[in-house]
Amino acid sequence: MSQTEYIVIRAEEDGVNVIGLTRGTDTKFHHSEKLDRGEVMVAQFTEHTSAIKIRGKAEIQTAHGVMQSEAKK
Ligand code: TRP
């Protein structure tokens, strides 16, 4: 598991939330990390984390490409 790829999230506004969701039968939030503008989080999918939700305006880099999440209007 430690060799899985990383994803990079760069916040483009204050208060971007990076939320980790659990792997397994039930899918729950297990961790929320708040990033301010310019802050970067480098994260992996792990034994405990099967999905990552990003709320707020950010640039997200993954092996699938680079994408932008939008700010809530
Ligand atoms: N303890 C968590 C885990 O190993 C830490 C973590 C990894 C995490 N990737 C994440 C938390 C992505 C939030 C988002 O799974």
Side-chain angles (χ1 to χ4, degrees), residues 7-43:
I7 77 159
V8 178
I9 302 119
R10 185 171 55 76
E12 293 183 344
E13 66 178 358
D14 289 347
V16 169
N17 271 297
V18 179
I19 301 158
L21 294 103
T22 55
R23 189 176 297 283
T25 6
D26 46 46
T27 306
K28 290 184 178 162
F29 287 17
H30 68 75
H31 186 90
S32 175
E33 197 68 43
K34 195 162 262 186
L35 304 181
D36 284 336
R37 187 183 174 85
E39 289 186 323
V40 171
M41 183 164 167
V42 183

Side-chain angles (χ1 to χ4, degrees), residues 2 31 43-44 46 48 50 58 72:
S2 58
H31 186 90
Q44 285 176 300
T46 68
H48 305 292
S50 68
K72 196 173 171 184

Side-chain angles (χ1 to χ4, degrees), residues 43-55:
Q44 285 176 300
F45 291 94
T46 68
E47 185 188 345
H48 305 292
T49 305
S50 68
I52 300 170
K53 173 173 173 172
I54 292 141
R55 295 189 66 151

